[in-house]
Amino acid sequence: AVASRLFYDPFWRPGWPRLARRKAVGAALRFVDLVASDRSGAPSRPAWQELSFKLHAFVLFSQVDRVLSLKDTNQITVSEMVEKARSLDPDEIPWLMEGIGEYVTQRVFAGNELPEGLFHDENLPPWSLGTLHTGLGMALASRCLAAVNVKDPDNSVAKNVDRFLSLCDLCSRPGYTDMAVECLGFVLRFLHPQHLASTDAFLQENRRASVGPLWHGVGRALYFLPSNLIPRRSAPWRAVTMAEREAPHEVGRQNLLAGLAWPMLLVTWHQPRILEAVLRHHADQLCADDCFCSGLGAAMVMWVECTGGETHITELLDHRPRPTTPKMAYAW
């Protein structure tokens, strides 16, 4: 949690620390890109490429105001931001949509208002709504969990999780609430893992339908944890083992694996050998049931809706592992 906070939390705050960390992440990204390009043919190259792709996704999400050159942000609407993002590289759209959702929600909170109806604008294209709502959920979860009283965590967690759920119900468009709720699990596992068990217990008793989305978000967080970024520690993929180990019940296990698959596909789809390497290490775990596969399929659907990238997905599906063994052919 300490490493996660150093890596992630400062981007919620304005001022010079934000600028300094932007430069630090930019320098790290350039270094990783250089290392990955120099390891052509090396066994470790997929892991370094994956790290590069993760950092690119993080930069797009956390620095959306810089990427989109948002200067006078009070004079630009959400739909205008979405159109601006649409004019950039299609590969970047899902991360930019999440970034826009988080950014504009934080902007509304900064004005001492609630982000009610923020994404109800009929001019917003349907393909943008899912990822905008995950950005909304990120902002709501980070705000509510930051208010937990460490001196009375049990009662305070329940109170603030209930507030988070109420805000998700209030601010989400019909049909998109679970996309926002899922981010509770992401922020909890990333920044406040000590509160996961009590949150799960609260949801089991008061809002059972949100238990699945909670653990789906936890699975997404496992993929981006700083401890799982370093190539020597990311392959074999520790996140897969962590998903199996951290599941408190069967609903949690299923959603952890599906949630882990979601960002893994979106980050690495244009380099199939990364997913191939994951399967080489973890085929028995990931092919035991359909949980991981369903997460990959859901991510593919979202990708095509956001980017129109059917050709890219076809290229991924047409890929064949080399050398192909019966076990790998079946897993793929």
Side-chain angles (χ1 to χ4, degrees), residues 30 64 90 97 103 117 121 147 177 200 244 267:
R30 289 190 293 273
V64 68
M97 290 301 104
Y103 181 82
D121 185 351
T177 303
D200 178 70
E244 295 279 2
V267 167

Side-chain angles (χ1 to χ4, degrees), residues 2-19:
V2 173
S4 297
R5 194 170 297 280
L6 290 172
F7 182 77
Y8 185 73
D9 207 32
F11 287 98
W12 301 121
R13 304 189 181 99
W16 72 264
R18 180 184 177 107
L19 178 60

Side-chain angles (χ1 to χ4, degrees), residues 40-199:
S40 179
S44 62
R45 193 185 186 208
W48 282 96
Q49 287 180 315
E50 186 178 24
L51 173 57
S52 174
F53 299 152
K54 284 182 179 181
L55 290 176
H56 276 289
F58 176 71
V59 167
L60 291 169
F61 167 77
S62 63
Q63 302 183 21
V64 68
D65 54 333
R66 180 186 64 81
V67 176
L68 297 182
S69 300
L70 302 178
K71 296 178 180 178
D72 191 358
T73 57
N74 291 322
Q75 301 301 316
I76 184 170
T77 65
V78 177
S79 59
E80 289 171 336
M81 291 184 192
V82 169
E83 284 305 308
K84 201 168 187 178
R86 186 70 164 178
S87 67
L88 301 179
D89 188 341
D91 295 351
E92 300 177 347
I93 287 177
W95 311 111
L96 290 174
M97 290 301 104
E98 284 195 351
I100 289 172
E102 188 276 334
Y103 181 82
V104 297
T105 304
Q106 295 285 17
R107 186 179 67 177
V108 171
F109 275 131
N112 295 316
E113 300 178 16
L114 290 178
E116 184 177 0
L118 191 58
F119 303 126
H120 285 59
D121 185 351
E122 294 301 323
N123 292 320
L124 288 172
W127 58 261
S128 70
L129 295 176
T131 41
L132 285 173
H133 277 79
T134 58
L136 167 72
M138 290 282 195
L140 295 179
S142 64
R143 190 175 185 87
C144 290
L145 293 172
V148 170
N149 184 351
V150 296
K151 295 181 179 180
D152 185 21
D154 291 339
N155 291 328
S156 187
V157 167
K159 175 183 176 181
N160 283 283
V161 168
D162 187 59
R163 178 170 179 261
F164 166 80
L165 295 171
S166 297
L167 286 171
C168 287
D169 292 336
L170 177 69
C171 302
S172 301
R173 283 175 69 146
Y176 291 92
T177 303
D178 280 351
M179 297 291 287
V181 170
E182 177 183 314
C183 297
L184 176 65
F186 184 97
V187 177
L188 273 169
R189 183 59 183 85
F190 215 94
L191 298 176
H192 310 279
Q194 71 274 21
H195 300 319
L196 250 176
S198 58
T199 299

Side-chain angles (χ1 to χ4, degrees), residues 19-34:
L19 178 60
R21 287 173 174 84
R22 278 182 174 179
K23 292 181 178 180
V25 171
L29 184 53
R30 289 190 293 273
F31 171 76
V32 171
D33 285 344
L34 179 63

